[in-house]
Amino acid sequence: MEKVGILVVSYSARATAMIDAFKRSQNYHVKIYVADKQANPFNMEKAEKHVIIPDLNVEVICRFAKKYQREIDFGIVGPEKPIIQGIRDKIESETDIPMICPTKEFAIEASKVAQRRLFEKFAPEVNPRFRIFNPKDCSNVEEVRKELFRWLDELNNQVAVKPDVPAAGKGVGVWGDHFITREQLFEHFMANYKHGAVIVEEKIEGEESSFQAFCDGKHLVPLPETRDYKRAFDGDKGPNTGGMGAYKDKGEKLPFMTDGDRQKEIEIVNRIFRQWAGSTGNPSLRGIPFYVAFIHTGKESKILENNSRPGDPEIQAILPVLKDDFVDICYKILDGNLTRIEMEKQAAVVTYKAPPNYGGYVDAFPDKVNKAEIGTPVDLTQAYELAVKYGDKIRIYPASMEKRNSETYALKSRAVCTVGIAETIEEARQISLRGIKAITGGALWHRTDIASREHIEKSIRHMELLRGN
Ligand code: GLY
């Protein structure tokens, strides 16, 4: 069997899912070299070499890559920070290792202002009405306030406030969800404005879907749609998080989407890609340059934001159901000949467990937290036993966790996710939840309505209403 060495830059279960997909290769004998944010127990077990780089500093990651460059055939990057900071440019200029992620120039996730301007040029219809407030243009607080309030008058307060720089979906504040008075909105606005530009844009009513596509520089190969659950608590309540779970259906689209919605998304992203990549393509775009948060209004599809990397937890719903070998997919990305990807016709549901402080859970539900368990080790043994029982139908992916001696502890962010895979979304959800229940310790909590029938039916009814059916 052919040998392959792969560098994985890792943070969260997104990279754990990549490592799992690589290690499940039937065509290659895979050795993984992980530059990890923490002592992730799964990654440590699977890695040939594992290094912990808590700030994922690109210089340090590059030194690790250099040390093993004779054994590494290519690298892939999960988290946004090193991509934005130019990890690909650095490693490719200092080693012979080709990297799968966009170059710094094309990591458009770095700026929401740049995204809005790019869309304005090539697909203006996806932008809501927006205005950019830049502290470079005005430092007088009273003037900014007047200007902002004039804009709020025009949009009848129905706005989303977005910092220019990425905040993993957590810097966005929405009227009616995060604030109900102008003073609250202004406070959120100023907290961001003091650090840089802020976009204030029309709030769009609709249902969200996450579009992701692999790109070899010449072709864009769309992956099935997924739905992310951004808010912390059941019923889409509480603050935004990195995403408490996600699902995909058996086919390419989500139950509340029409074929037309899906086609429209593909057409829009391809149009932007074609303009951006030029007629001969552009290898700098390799990876997942488009992970787009769309919102469907029943009449049109708008873009909330674009990211230059795989979604977390969205990619965990995709990688376990690839029919093609993930190593072959990566080689095709590097060779510029990835024209299609075969997927299993299976639904997948991802549920995350998080520690009590995450998403403000302990403050919102102090009585639900098992105080005796706070800070205790997390036991994944029973969940792994389930994985043996269910075989290909369940995955257990540790995320923000670290191994200390023989125990595993949750850190500050989403700790571990389980992926259920089945013919239907409901079956997949039940499997994912069984995995979640088998994980004990650490006072971890989870949303109970990820991909529930009620939640999905609510989305379907909402879209019917918006379409005027
Ligand atoms: N699911 C949100 C993100 O990956 O940014």
Side-chain angles (χ1 to χ4, degrees):
M1 209 189 271
E2 197 177 323
K3 288 187 184 151
V4 58
I6 305 171
L7 168 70
V8 179
V9 179
S10 163
Y11 176 45
S12 89
R14 168 179 45 199
T16 313
M18 288 181 187
I19 291 169
D20 183 42
F22 285 133
K23 289 302 273 188
R24 295 166 74 86
S25 171
Q26 300 292 313
N27 302 340
Y28 300 85
H29 178 68
V30 179
K31 287 189 179 172
I32 303 281
Y33 298 77
V34 189
D36 214 339
K37 190 171 166 69
Q38 63 242 336
N40 180 305
F42 184 97
N43 299 353
M44 287 173 82
E45 192 195 311
K46 301 287 178 191
E48 183 73 14
K49 299 285 173 203
H50 182 274
V51 65
I52 299 163
I53 306 172
D55 60 356
L56 290 177
N57 178 296
V58 293
E59 302 282 338
V60 186
I61 299 171
C62 190
R63 275 208 294 278
F64 177 69
K66 259 187 195 163
K67 187 166 171 195
Y68 296 105
Q69 62 179 315
R70 281 208 208 97
E71 293 149 58
I72 296 174
D73 295 281
F74 65 85
I76 189 164
V77 188
E80 58 270 30
K81 188 174 152 230
I83 299 178
I84 290 168
Q85 291 176 347
I87 186 74
R88 174 161 162 202
D89 313 55
K90 174 110 191 130
I91 290 183
E92 289 188 347
S93 69
E94 294 190 23
T95 74
D96 291 332
I97 302 169
M99 295 296 290
I100 298 179
C101 70
T103 59
K104 185 173 178 162
E105 184 187 353
F106 289 91
I108 197 169
E109 176 165 5
S111 165
K112 288 197 174 59
V113 169
Q115 292 176 31
R116 286 280 170 244
R117 293 202 167 123
L118 178 80
F119 303 151
E120 185 119 292
K121 212 159 149 197
F122 301 134
E125 76 276 20
V126 304
N127 274 344
R129 294 169 69 197
F130 70 96
R131 275 200 60 183
I132 298 161
F133 292 82
N134 197 326
K136 285 194 191 127
D137 302 332
C138 181
S139 59
N140 182 309
V141 175
E142 262 324 294
E143 267 177 44
V144 178
R145 187 187 170 95
K146 268 195 212 139
E147 196 56 29
L148 173 66
F149 283 18
R150 268 199 292 273
W151 183 232
L152 294 179
D153 286 340
E154 254 186 72
L155 295 180
N156 199 20
N157 293 330
Q158 300 304 308
V159 297
V161 179
K162 299 180 169 181
D164 180 32
V165 291
K170 287 170 265 184
V172 178
V174 179
W175 182 270
D177 293 341
H178 302 100
F179 22 74
I180 49 170
T181 66
R182 285 191 175 189
E183 285 316 314
Q184 288 168 343
L185 183 150
F186 189 63
E187 199 180 307
H188 180 85
F189 173 91
M190 283 310 291
N192 289 295
Y193 189 76
K194 65 179 182 222
H195 299 296
V198 177
I199 303 178
V200 180
E201 63 187 36
E202 187 187 2
K203 175 182 170 181
I204 306 291
E205 193 194 339
E207 289 291 322
E208 287 181 40
S209 62
S210 298
F211 175 98
Q212 301 175 92
F214 279 128
C215 179
D216 64 3
K218 292 184 192 149
H219 314 96
L220 204 60
V221 181
L223 296 166
E225 296 289 326
T226 50
R227 169 69 175 237
D228 185 15
Y229 284 71
K230 288 204 175 66
R231 304 289 284 273
F233 310 136
D234 284 2
D236 297 321
K237 303 274 190 303
N240 277 351
T241 66
M244 297 303 297
Y247 71 88
K248 78 171 274 297
D249 206 346
K250 224 171 144 173
E252 291 203 346
K253 62 180 172 45
L254 296 168
F256 55 83
M257 289 172 72
T258 62
D259 289 337
D261 293 334
R262 170 75 173 166
Q263 285 317 313
K264 191 74 201 161
E265 289 190 2
I266 293 174
E267 187 273 312
I268 288 168
V269 183
N270 259 302
R271 184 156 25 111
I272 300 166
F273 168 63
R274 286 284 146 228
Q275 294 286 340
W276 212 15
S279 53
T280 52
N282 183 348
S284 299
L285 286 163
R286 209 154 72 198
I288 300 194
F290 293 105
Y291 148 34
V292 186
F294 270 101
I295 184 158
H296 304 281
T297 69
K299 289 168 192 72
E300 54 196 353
S301 302
K302 300 273 187 200
I303 293 181
L304 296 175
E305 65 177 28
N306 182 54
N307 303 287
S308 313
R309 39 102 193 165
D312 174 11
E314 289 98 320
I315 206 71
Q316 292 96 297
I318 303 278
L319 295 176
V321 287
L322 289 176
K323 207 174 196 174
D324 290 335
D325 190 298
F326 191 38
V327 180
D328 281 328
I329 291 174
C330 290
Y331 273 131
K332 285 184 182 172
I333 290 176
L334 294 167
D335 291 343
N337 61 8
L338 184 77
T339 52
R340 53 180 290 124
I341 291 177
E342 290 292 329
M343 307 284 308
E344 303 287 355
K345 291 267 173 288
Q346 297 276 294
V349 174
V350 185
T351 314
Y352 253 121
K353 269 191 136 170
N357 279 328
Y358 189 76
Y361 185 79
V362 71
D363 297 328
F365 304 104
D367 299 338
K368 286 198 191 171
V369 176
N370 182 344
K371 304 233 166 40
E373 267 194 8
I374 293 179
T376 61
V378 177
D379 188 354
L380 300 172
T381 325
Q382 287 176 56
Y384 285 136
E385 278 166 17
L386 270 184
V388 173
K389 182 170 156 207
Y390 279 103
D392 275 352
K393 296 208 162 298
I394 190 166
R395 301 282 197 283
I396 315 297
Y397 292 145
S400 180
M401 297 188 95
E402 76 175 7
K403 199 162 176 196
R404 289 181 216 148
N405 304 317
S406 59
E407 309 269 37
T408 301
Y409 291 86
L411 297 171
K412 290 192 182 132
S413 194
R414 293 166 294 172
V416 53
C417 71
T418 63
V419 189
I421 298 150
E423 286 279 306
T424 66
I425 296 173
E426 182 55 26
E427 283 173 86
R429 171 171 181 262
Q430 292 304 335
I431 296 171
S432 172
L433 286 175
R434 243 168 267 163
I436 284 291
K437 282 179 194 133
I439 297 168
T440 55
L444 303 183
W445 62 279
H446 64 281
R447 262 183 82 157
T448 65
D449 64 346
I450 305 293
S452 70
R453 278 202 188 104
E454 294 72 20
H455 198 283
I456 292 173
E457 268 159 25
K458 199 167 155 216
S459 299
I460 294 171
R461 281 197 304 276
H462 189 202
M463 283 312 302
E464 283 172 355
L465 201 72
L466 291 171
R467 286 189 203 106
N469 298 349

